[in-house]
């Protein structure tokens, strides 16, 4: 759950507080005969900095075996709506009169209410250690939204912000009734609290909104991959084709059963009734000093940005959706969300199947449908047509985007150098040299002079810059995937034109 840390020295007080509540990375827990410690960590994990992999996280202080429990957080230490309402009768009475709010909205209000107590809050050692800002999609302002360049991402960011604003307005009356301080009534405070919940909550069976888990939310993210990523390509987005043959339906149901087993790998922990605690397990073998990671589930980069405020350059679960010509998706029974390009550039199983049918005369589609749905090529000519269509669409998208991959790489390089600049004059010059996009960035912040820049250097530029960089990183990854798809399609075309022995055998069988 990546993000900037809280107050200076906050981690130490958090770990001491958590230790007193029974949070532990030692199994079995230490006994009274063992020396007391001021931290709940130190036997298996430690808080460390991983600049190239999520920032602050949890590292192994010894070799850890796959499947080994690495952290246990008692239920009494989990921050939930139920717990907060139980501890405060005023809050409980007010919330019960506002049953129209969602579970997540209610937890957001409760979190802000608890923050308003300051040092009087029982949760203060945890709350003061939370990040001071996030870069989830709802926090992106107009400039950063437009920096995505791709319509799907722009729409997702706008929709996320509209949703957050609507939920804030719905909850505003309750916050006023609870006499929130003016700063906690603002939309910015709501964005902070909702981002805290979006990026840090874990599932618990008794609360739809989940729980905030002190210390447990210090794990950084590792994307699930391997068999699960492959299963997602084949199964996750598939619906049973209308009018399909019985053996196809049987095969589909069998694959769903396989997916149920694979989905157990989506999380590396959970609440266990037997010990009344949230328990975390090592997802792989770790050596001393290595970062111990947690899988939150399967997300694309855009989804990671929306809910968690970061993305991965190498995300096996990322997907690129491209505009398809009218009628393409309607010629098969695959849902539109299954028609995508994988991060490596390969069209999804469903997209290939759909395009093979679309490239087939309509009066012949029924007779070859079973082959298309099984993933088979229909003919060399059909496959050539499909690959040329993909080439055309990918090239058109790249040509119509405002910047190239090379432009984005140079821009990112310049933005990464901003952190080392100390004076307003130099900073202003860097942004001006970035051309139209750099000047638009300054304009979006109302920075038109050196004095403006000097006043804003401490916080305004830093936060806006982080979101701009994320948008550029996302669009760069998007464009690279399109280039990889072009390479993939070109290689298939070359194989069809000049097949080797293995390709010739496959094409003959088709």
């Amino acid at each position: 759950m990546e993000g900037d840390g809280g107050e200076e020295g906050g981690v130490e007080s958090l770990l001491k507080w958590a230790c007193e509540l029974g949070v532990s990375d030692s199994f079995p827990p230490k006994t009274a005969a063992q020396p007391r410690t001021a931290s709940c960590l130190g036997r298996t994990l430690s808080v460390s900095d991983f600049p190239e992999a999520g920032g602050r996280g949890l590292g192994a202080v010894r070799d850890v075996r796959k499947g080994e429990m690495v952290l246990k957080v008692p239920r009494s230490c989990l921050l939930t709506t139920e717990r907060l309402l139980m501890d405060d009768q005023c809050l409980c009475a007010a919330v019960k009169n506002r049953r129209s709010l969602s579970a997540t909205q209610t937890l957001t209000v409760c979190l802000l209410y608890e923050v308003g107590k300051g040092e009087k809050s029982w949760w203060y050692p945890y709350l003061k250690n939370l990040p001071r800002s996030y870069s989830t999609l709802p926090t992106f302002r107009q400039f950063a939204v437009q920096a995505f360049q791709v319509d799907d991402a722009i729409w997702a960011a706008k929709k996320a912000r509209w949703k957050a604003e609507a939920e804030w307005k719905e909850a505003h009356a309750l916050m006023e009734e609870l006499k929130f301080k003016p700063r906690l009534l603002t939309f910015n405070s709501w964005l902070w609290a909702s981002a805290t919940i979006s990026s840090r909550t874990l599932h618990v069976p008794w609360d739809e909104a989940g729980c905030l888990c002190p210390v447990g939310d210090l794990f950084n993210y590792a994307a699930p991959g391997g068999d699960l990523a492959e299963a997602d390509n084949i199964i996750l987005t598939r619906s049973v084709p209308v009018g399909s043959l019985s053996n196809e339906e049987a095969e589909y149901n069998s694959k769903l059963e396989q997916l149920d087993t694979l989905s157990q790998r989506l999380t590396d922990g959970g609440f266990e009734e037997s010990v009344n605690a949230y328990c975390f397990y090592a997802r792989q073998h770790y050596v001393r000093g290595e970062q111990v990671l947690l899988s939150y589930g399967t997300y694309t980069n855009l989804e990671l940005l929306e809910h968690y405020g970061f993305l991965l350059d190498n995300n096996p679960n990322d997907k690129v959706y491209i505009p398809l010509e009218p009628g393409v998706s309607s010629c098969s029974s695959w849902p539109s969300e299954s028609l995508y390009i994988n991060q490596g550039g390969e069209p999804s199983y469903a997209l290939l199947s759909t395009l093979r049918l679309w490239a087939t005369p309509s009066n012949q589609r029924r007779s070859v449908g079973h082959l298309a749905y099984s993933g088979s090529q229909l003919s060399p000519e059909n496959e050539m047509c499909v690959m040329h269509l993909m080439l055309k669409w990918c090239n058109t998208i790249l040509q119509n985007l405002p910047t190239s991959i090379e432009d984005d790489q140079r821009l990112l390089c310049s933005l990464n150098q901003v952190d080392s600049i100390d004076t307003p004059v130099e900073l202003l010059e860097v942004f001006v040299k970035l051309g139209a996009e750099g000047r638009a960035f300054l304009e979006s912040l109302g920075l038109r002079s050196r004095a403006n820049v000097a006043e804003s250097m401490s916080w305004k530029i830093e936060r806006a810059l982080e979101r701009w960089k994320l948008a550029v990183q996302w669009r760069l990854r998007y464009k690279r995937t399109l280039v990889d798809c072009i390479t993939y399609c070109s290689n298939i075309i070359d194989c069809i034109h000049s097949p080797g022995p293995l390709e010739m055998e496959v094409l003959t069988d088709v």
Side-chain angles (χ1 to χ4, degrees), residues 357 360-369 378:
L357 281 174
T360 301
S362 56
N363 62 348
Q364 298 177 23
R365 288 173 186 167
R366 186 173 182 81
S367 63
V368 298
L378 304 185

Side-chain angles (χ1 to χ4, degrees), residues 107-164:
L107 181 54
T108 305
V109 171
C110 291
L111 175 60
L112 286 171
Y113 181 82
E114 201 65 26
V115 168
K117 294 180 181 179
E119 294 184 17
K120 295 179 181 179
S121 170
W122 184 82
W123 299 93
Y124 182 70
Y126 172 64
L127 297 176
K128 73 174 183 178
N129 194 58
L130 290 172
R132 292 293 174 261
S133 67
Y134 297 90
S135 294
T136 53
L137 273 192
T139 68
F140 279 53
R141 295 183 179 273
Q142 182 64 16
F143 172 81
V145 169
Q146 293 301 321
F148 282 112
Q149 296 184 349
V150 179
D151 288 343
D152 285 348
I154 291 172
W155 169 243
K158 287 182 176 179
K159 186 169 62 173
R161 191 170 179 89
W162 291 335
K163 181 175 182 289

Side-chain angles (χ1 to χ4, degrees), residues 294-306:
L294 176 71
S295 170
Y296 317 153
T298 303
Y299 294 97
T300 66
N301 272 341
L302 195 57
E303 290 167 339
L304 285 174
L305 268 180
E306 179 174 359

Side-chain angles (χ1 to χ4, degrees), residues 73-261:
V73 182
R75 178 167 177 164
S76 60
C77 201
L78 302 178
L79 191 157
T80 63
T81 300
E82 176 188 77
R83 173 65 188 276
L84 295 179
L85 296 183
M86 189 185 305
D87 291 346
D88 193 301
Q89 293 303 312
C90 177
L91 177 64
C92 183
V95 166
K96 285 185 176 179
N97 291 329
R98 302 280 178 177
R99 297 187 181 276
S100 61
L101 298 181
S102 70
T104 302
Q105 284 174 295
T106 302
L107 181 54
T108 305
V109 171
C110 291
L111 175 60
L112 286 171
Y113 181 82
E114 201 65 26
V115 168
K117 294 180 181 179
E119 294 184 17
K120 295 179 181 179
S121 170
W122 184 82
W123 299 93
Y124 182 70
Y126 172 64
L127 297 176
K128 73 174 183 178
N129 194 58
L130 290 172
R132 292 293 174 261
S133 67
Y134 297 90
S135 294
T136 53
L137 273 192
T139 68
F140 279 53
R141 295 183 179 273
Q142 182 64 16
F143 172 81
V145 169
Q146 293 301 321
F148 282 112
Q149 296 184 349
V150 179
D151 288 343
D152 285 348
I154 291 172
W155 169 243
K158 287 182 176 179
K159 186 169 62 173
R161 191 170 179 89
W162 291 335
K163 181 175 182 289
E165 190 169 1
E167 291 177 344
W168 167 63
K169 289 177 179 177
E170 290 169 357
H172 206 266
L174 173 58
M175 294 191 290
E176 288 182 324
E177 180 183 340
L178 289 166
K179 296 181 171 56
F180 274 25
K181 297 173 183 176
R183 68 179 178 85
L184 294 178
L185 283 170
T186 64
F187 182 47
N188 281 340
S189 290
W190 180 267
L191 283 176
W192 173 85
S194 59
T196 297
I197 291 166
S198 173
S199 64
R200 306 180 85 81
T201 49
L202 300 171
H203 170 74
V204 288
W206 67 87
D207 195 318
E208 182 184 343
C211 72
L212 289 170
C213 183
V215 184
D217 59 7
L218 294 176
F219 287 103
N220 282 327
Y221 174 77
D227 294 338
L228 187 57
E230 182 180 349
D232 178 64
N233 185 31
I234 299 176
I235 307 169
L236 274 177
T237 55
R238 182 172 182 176
S239 62
V240 180
V242 177
S244 61
L245 300 177
S246 58
N247 62 334
E248 290 178 18
E249 187 171 355
E251 180 185 1
Y252 173 68
N253 290 333
S254 172
K255 287 182 176 180
L256 282 181
E257 291 175 5
Q258 296 172 25
L259 182 60
D260 288 338
T261 302

